[in-house]
């Protein structure tokens, strides 16, 4: 069965410092991986995805993610964090099981960026 | 335009009421989704429509009844809900759901539902 793990409930970063939000996955076959961000009382916003090709994927708002097949990871990164990046981040993998087309979400990681 | 709209933004209803949530997208997407999200938890899939046909029903109680009148609209009819159904209900759309597809989903802002 497909699964996604986000090992950190919360990540705290100082503004201007680099940030990393971790995600590991378990799939049978080639993974389609996604990152979404959710601001308070809002829906999820798509940030980026990995389907195939270059392991470094660039997305919205200066975020990027690195696909590492050997470590089954897809960590989200940003070189310089902003206070406005504070939000809840979800990693997701496409479900190839019973609910085709569905996304399997990680539990979420709350990112807090302090001035 | 990558916008998915949802109405109403907030809804308070009693356990005997009947209400509906509405979702609309004009991106030409052929797949639409309903999710339920509890506070600080990931979204839980409820229903998927593909080309206006119900594709997936994740064992959702019959007090939730989805409807897809056309390719741009998705409704969720609510009847005899329980207090534990209080949550943020999110609508999403994607270009398609095909097995080989890699389509991201675009989410609406959600309807905050409170059942009293």
């Amino acid at each position: 069965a497909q699964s996604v793990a986000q090992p950190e409930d919360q990540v705290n970063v100082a503004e201007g410092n680099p940030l990393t939000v971790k995600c590991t996955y378990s799939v049978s076959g080639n993974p389609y991986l996604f990152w979404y961000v959710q601001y308070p009382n809002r829906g999820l916003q798509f940030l980026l995805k990995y389907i195939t090709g270059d392991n470094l994927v660039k997305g919205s708002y200066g975020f990027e993610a690195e696909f590492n097949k050997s470590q089954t990871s897809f960590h989200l990164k940003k070189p310089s964090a902003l206070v406005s990046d504070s939000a809840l981040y979800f990693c997701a993998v496409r479900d190839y099981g019973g609910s085709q087309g569905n996304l399997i979400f990680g539990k979420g990681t709350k990112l807090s960026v302090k001035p | 335009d990558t916008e998915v709209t949802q109405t109403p933004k907030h809804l308070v209803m009693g356990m005997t009421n009947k209400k509906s949530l509405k979702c609309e997208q004009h991106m030409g997407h052929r797949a639409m989704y309903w999710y339920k999200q509890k506070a600080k938890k990931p979204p839980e899939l409820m229903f998927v429509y593909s080309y206006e046909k119900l594709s997936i029903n994740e064992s959702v109680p019959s007090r939730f009844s989805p409807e897809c009148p056309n390719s741009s609209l998705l409704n969720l009819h609510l009847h005899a809900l329980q207090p534990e159904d209080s949550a943020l209900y999110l609508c999403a759309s994607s270009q398609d759901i095909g097995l080989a597809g890699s389509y991201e989903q675009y989410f609406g802002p959600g309807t905050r539902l409170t059942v009293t």
Side-chain angles (χ1 to χ4, degrees):
Chain A
Q2 280 70 225
S3 66
V4 171
Q6 293 180 243
E8 302 153 319
D9 289 336
Q10 181 156 344
V11 171
N12 299 312
V13 178
E15 187 175 31
N17 283 1
L19 69 87
T20 298
V21 183
K22 295 180 180 178
C23 172
T24 59
Y25 65 90
S26 174
V27 300
S28 53
N30 294 324
Y32 289 172
L33 295 157
F34 303 80
W35 274 103
Y36 287 84
V37 60
Q38 186 174 31
Y39 297 98
N41 299 312
R42 301 290 299 276
L44 279 68
Q45 294 181 31
F46 169 72
L47 282 178
L48 50 81
K49 65 182 179 183
Y50 172 82
I51 304 303
T52 186
D54 195 347
N55 288 343
L56 185 63
V57 179
K58 293 189 183 298
S60 305
Y61 313 120
F63 284 94
E64 58 189 29
E66 186 168 11
F67 172 68
N68 187 316
K69 188 172 183 178
S70 62
Q71 297 186 5
T72 63
S73 67
F74 189 56
H75 300 332
L76 182 70
K77 300 182 179 185
K78 188 174 183 181
S80 179
L82 300 172
V83 173
S84 57
D85 292 329
S86 299
L88 187 57
Y89 290 80
F90 290 103
C91 181
V93 65
R94 191 165 198 85
D95 184 3
Y96 290 102
S99 297
Q100 293 178 6
N102 183 26
L103 292 173
I104 298 173
F105 289 94
K107 65 179 181 179
T109 298
K110 182 180 179 182
L111 174 66
S112 178
V113 182
K114 300 294 186 186
Chain B
D1 182 8
T2 57
E3 188 178 25
V4 176
T5 59
Q6 289 187 244
T7 55
K9 290 185 178 179
H10 301 275
L11 179 62
V12 179
M13 60 185 291
M15 290 189 284
T16 58
N17 291 158
K18 287 185 181 181
K19 296 287 185 182
S20 297
L21 310 184
K22 297 184 183 301
C23 173
E24 189 168 7
Q25 57 90 10
H26 293 290
M27 294 178 278
H29 289 173
R30 302 319 299 262
M32 296 186 77
Y33 310 75
W34 279 117
Y35 289 88
K36 174 183 177 181
Q37 186 182 27
K38 291 282 198 178
K40 301 181 181 179
K41 299 290 186 183
E44 301 170 25
L45 183 67
M46 300 174 71
F47 303 103
V48 181
Y49 273 82
S50 176
Y51 290 83
E52 301 161 50
K53 288 189 168 61
L54 185 63
S55 175
I56 296 171
N57 177 341
E58 290 287 349
S59 302
V60 179
S62 60
R63 59 186 183 267
F64 295 92
S65 175
E67 178 196 19
C68 190
N70 60 55
S71 60
S72 300
L73 292 173
L74 187 65
N75 298 322
L76 186 63
H77 302 297
L78 314 172
H79 174 55
L81 294 192
Q82 303 297 310
E84 59 264 29
D85 296 322
S86 298
L88 182 67
Y89 287 84
L90 295 166
C91 174
S93 70
S94 66
Q95 187 170 341
D96 204 337
I97 65 165
L99 178 61
S102 58
Y103 308 115
E104 60 272 22
Q105 294 180 20
Y106 292 90
F107 286 79
T111 294
R112 176 75 60 189
L113 174 66
T114 303
V115 182
T116 61

